[in-house]
Amino acid sequence: MASEPEKLLGAVTSHYAAARGFLSRLSAFVAKVTFKIPKGGSPGETIDELGKRWALDEEERLTLHILVRSKPGLAFFDEKIQSINRAAFHRSAFVLNAATQLLFVDIGAQLYISAPQLKAALVATNVLLVAVAHFEIKSLLKALIAGPNALPPKRRFWGLFSNPHYNKAVKKHSRHYARSAWKEKSLYRPAYFLDAATIFLGAQFILAPERIIFPFGFIIGKTTGLLTTLIMMFDVWRGVRAGEDARIAREREVAVYRDLDV
């Protein structure tokens, strides 16, 4: 017969394996829902993961494999993958917020007034931001396959004259960072804080829990309260992160402008 320490060790090991399996499944589910591109052990593995989420033909795959062979190309590839993952996370977050606003938020009921237009506006705003993030993913994927912008030479005619096309190309290369910073600071960040505020003020189930037969009303009320609290905390965290992402994008934009020929 097994001794008590052996039984305890077996129980702990079994619970650890079950918890680890649950966390692995949860991580895989989150990655699938958010369409996050896992960073593989090599650039080739990351390209394969990218191909699982978007249909890439052989020419596009070959272009990406050639791109990651050089150090600047690999840095460009990693930056775009991070940007795609961030935009995909925004898209999933605003889908969650739209569902939360639709099912669990009713500011009018909390204020004892009828305000269906406000509820519809909040849902529509989140859906619009989902579309913005979705098209940003498309744009980033197109830019990734196109590769980094090759800058023309700074000077021409054996270095005697400056090349006016060089500064134009540098400024064009910086536009993506400027747009990204504007979206993070002026769209995503206020939207996250607005969602957090409205969830805090108007969170309740679509049906009043007290109208549901006990104990189901009590259970639903507590569950939805916990859920909306977690979503509110998530929105506050993402709002703070969006401000940080905007700062990083501005720094990258400034770094591009350092290459201007002045």
Side-chain angles (χ1 to χ4, degrees), residues 161-182:
F161 301 97
S162 61
N163 186 357
H165 299 291
Y166 175 80
N167 281 352
K168 290 181 180 179
V170 170
K171 292 177 181 178
K172 182 179 179 181
H173 184 57
S174 70
R175 289 175 188 168
H176 163 70
Y177 300 115
R179 287 195 300 267
S180 178
W182 182 83

Side-chain angles (χ1 to χ4, degrees), residues 12 24 63 73 179 216:
V12 171
S24 298
T63 300
R179 287 195 300 267
F216 299 106

Side-chain angles (χ1 to χ4, degrees), residues 62-204:
L62 179 60
T63 300
L64 293 177
H65 280 287
I66 294 174
L67 173 67
V68 298
R69 290 176 185 174
S70 64
K71 189 174 181 179
L74 181 60
F76 174 81
F77 178 81
D78 288 340
E79 179 187 316
K80 291 301 180 186
I81 291 296
Q82 292 175 10
S83 298
I84 290 173
N85 283 339
R86 185 167 58 251
F89 197 92
H90 283 314
R91 181 178 62 180
S92 301
F94 287 117
V95 167
L96 175 63
N97 280 329
T100 303
Q101 293 285 355
L102 180 64
L103 299 176
F104 301 114
V105 177
D106 192 350
I107 295 179
Q110 297 294 334
L111 300 176
Y112 300 99
I113 61 175
S114 178
Q117 295 86 355
L118 177 59
K119 185 181 185 69
L122 291 171
V123 174
T125 299
N126 281 286
V127 171
L128 179 61
L129 290 170
V130 170
V132 171
H134 177 74
F135 285 112
E136 184 178 2
I137 294 172
K138 294 283 189 180
S139 176
L140 289 166
L141 180 63
K142 184 178 179 181
L144 173 62
I145 296 175
N149 295 325
L151 298 177
K154 285 187 177 182
R155 308 188 71 81
R156 54 185 179 176
F157 296 112
W158 302 281
L160 297 176
F161 301 97
S162 61
N163 186 357
H165 299 291
Y166 175 80
N167 281 352
K168 290 181 180 179
V170 170
K171 292 177 181 178
K172 182 179 179 181
H173 184 57
S174 70
R175 289 175 188 168
H176 163 70
Y177 300 115
R179 287 195 300 267
S180 178
W182 182 83
K183 287 178 182 177
E184 295 286 347
K185 184 177 181 180
S186 302
L187 280 183
Y188 299 147
R189 188 167 182 260
Y192 281 124
F193 287 141
L194 177 62
D195 279 319
T198 53
I199 291 172
F200 175 77
L201 294 174
Q204 70 169 31

Side-chain angles (χ1 to χ4, degrees), residues 185-260:
K185 184 177 181 180
S186 302
L187 280 183
Y188 299 147
R189 188 167 182 260
Y192 281 124
F193 287 141
L194 177 62
D195 279 319
T198 53
I199 291 172
F200 175 77
L201 294 174
Q204 70 169 31
F205 190 53
I206 194 69
L207 296 175
E210 60 270 12
R211 296 181 182 177
I212 304 175
I213 300 175
F214 184 85
F216 299 106
F218 175 79
I219 295 173
I220 291 176
K222 294 298 183 182
T223 303
T224 55
L226 176 61
L227 177 63
T228 52
T229 300
L230 291 175
I231 295 174
M232 180 191 68
M233 294 171 62
F234 167 79
D235 283 332
V236 171
W237 171 68
R238 283 310 305 170
V240 174
R241 284 295 308 165
E244 181 66 14
D245 291 336
R247 183 187 63 80
I248 294 174
R250 286 297 182 191
E251 289 179 353
R252 288 175 175 172
E253 180 188 8
V254 172
V256 171
Y257 274 99
R258 292 195 188 106
D259 294 332
L260 286 174

